[in-house]
Amino acid sequence: MDSVAYVTVDVFADERFAGNQLAVIPDARGLSDAQMQQIATEFRYSEVTFVLPPEDPANTARVRIFTPTMEIPFAGHPNVGTAFVLGGQPEIFGKAPGDVLRFEERAGLVETALIRDASGRVAGAGILAPQTLSLGPQVDADTVARCASISIADVRTANHAPVIASVGLPFAVAEVAGLETLARACPNTAAFAEADRRFLREDEQFALFLYTRLPDRPWHFRARMFAPLDNLIEDPATGSASGALGALLASLQPDPELDIHITIEQGVEMGRRSLIELHVRKSGGLVRDVRVAGRCVAVMHGSIRL
């Protein structure tokens, strides 16, 4: 095996050079764990996905997700982008793709549904988060402020305290005062390292998802995500963090039955505007489903010499 093919796409975007970059290895058979990590480090995108035949033939594929430093159990934009790439192929390991793809991942089974344009071509995908909302420890406002280099007065706690939230991958989620605060946030790596030791397990890394609600649109948010401990200063679109935020906010609503659509705009400050669409369903007082969707654009394809 001298080389392996790759495809790159911009996820949560409808034009090139926006959204979040993703590299997909559509057939990763024969690659070792070390080679997968080296390839992910070489791309230096927030994630690279490696597609393998499924362990259960009823599923579409097994998908492994690597950041520049480690393998992770789940992430939003890698699933959306991988579904977009695979859904546009004539076959996936000998089977024609349908409109619903099922990916085996460390966090569980991830179901993806393709989005098609008026001509029938694959234009994006939506995913169902593999886990229900789980909440970890609350994070004090001072820690959030130091991590983001903002004032403690700019951290909002009226709706909820900053908290570790997850629908498959944990993030510290915190509301800030407004767009001006969001714009001047800047990660402090030393503060992140201290927070990592205090709030997360050894196999996890502290990442901070800041958001603010747009006053004229109550379910439209702007957000930024920082993860400097993973060699990712800022991420232009984070589906897993957006899903955790949507589930958290739905859980705080008094209505026991709820079906809401949420839009999260991210990456604006980086010049890579992204739009993440969430559909959150609450039933019997519990958040049951979190769906994360967006459009994608193909950018590059080629081969990697091994």
Side-chain angles (χ1 to χ4, degrees):
M1 187 177 183
D2 299 325
S3 65
V4 63
Y6 73 87
V7 179
T8 77
V9 294
D10 288 338
V11 183
F12 296 125
D14 54 13
E15 60 181 355
R16 287 179 184 83
F17 315 123
N20 201 350
Q21 300 152 300
L22 175 73
V24 179
I25 312 302
D27 186 350
R29 287 177 291 186
L31 291 178
S32 67
D33 291 5
Q35 286 175 315
M36 292 182 191
Q37 186 61 74
Q38 288 170 338
I39 290 169
T41 303
E42 182 73 13
F43 271 105
R44 294 192 65 79
Y45 291 171
S46 55
E47 285 100 5
V48 176
T49 61
F50 298 85
V51 183
L52 298 159
E55 294 180 355
D56 181 347
N59 299 323
T60 306
R62 183 162 67 99
V63 177
R64 299 181 66 180
I65 306 171
F66 285 77
T67 75
T69 64
M70 64 189 295
E71 184 175 8
I72 58 175
F74 168 74
H77 103 275
N79 276 291
V80 171
T82 300
F84 170 77
V85 170
L86 297 185
Q89 295 182 170
E91 63 176 42
I92 307 169
F93 300 120
K95 294 182 180 179
D99 279 343
V100 175
L101 311 181
R102 292 161 62 89
F103 297 154
E104 299 168 354
E105 298 182 12
R106 285 175 52 189
L109 195 62
V110 178
E111 182 179 290
T112 67
L114 300 180
I115 298 170
R116 296 185 182 274
D117 61 20
S119 68
R121 291 170 43 176
V122 178
I127 66 169
L128 180 64
Q131 298 176 8
T132 57
L133 174 67
S134 63
L135 297 178
Q138 291 187 354
V139 180
D140 57 280
D142 182 61
T143 292
V144 172
R146 285 187 291 108
C147 284
S149 305
I150 58 177
S151 166
I152 191 171
D154 289 326
V155 180
R156 292 288 182 256
T157 58
N159 294 323
H160 67 86
V163 65
I164 304 294
S166 174
V167 290
L169 191 67
F171 293 87
V173 176
E175 183 178 4
V176 297
L179 292 175
E180 188 273 334
T181 299
L182 198 66
R184 59 183 165 81
C186 181
N188 178 328
T189 303
F192 270 81
E194 180 184 347
D196 186 67
R197 291 190 293 269
R198 291 176 57 197
F199 295 105
L200 289 178
R201 305 191 312 243
E202 288 186 4
D203 60 341
E204 298 171 337
Q205 289 180 332
F206 189 85
L208 179 60
F209 193 64
L210 301 178
Y211 76 94
T212 189
R213 191 187 300 262
L214 299 188
D216 56 336
R217 287 174 285 176
W219 290 106
H220 191 122
F221 301 88
R222 276 270 293 275
R224 298 180 73 182
M225 199 287 280
F226 302 115
L229 301 183
D230 201 21
N231 285 345
L232 182 64
I233 300 303
E234 183 170 0
D235 195 28
T238 318
S240 48
S242 297
L245 172 61
L248 172 63
L249 295 178
S251 74
L252 296 172
Q253 296 298 305
D255 315 65
E257 310 293 322
L258 198 63
D259 201 327
I260 55 175
H261 179 265
I262 300 171
T263 298
I264 296 179
E265 193 176 1
Q266 192 180 335
V268 175
E269 294 78 8
M270 302 175 65
R272 296 193 66 94
R273 180 174 179 266
S274 307
L275 280 179
I276 303 167
E277 305 294 341
L278 302 178
H279 184 193
V280 183
R281 185 178 66 86
K282 185 178 179 183
S283 177
L286 298 175
V287 177
R288 306 289 182 180
D289 293 322
V290 179
R291 295 185 178 272
V292 182
R295 300 176 75 84
C296 303
V297 183
V299 180
M300 295 186 291
H301 63 89
S303 62
I304 302 166
R305 293 182 178 179
L306 300 176

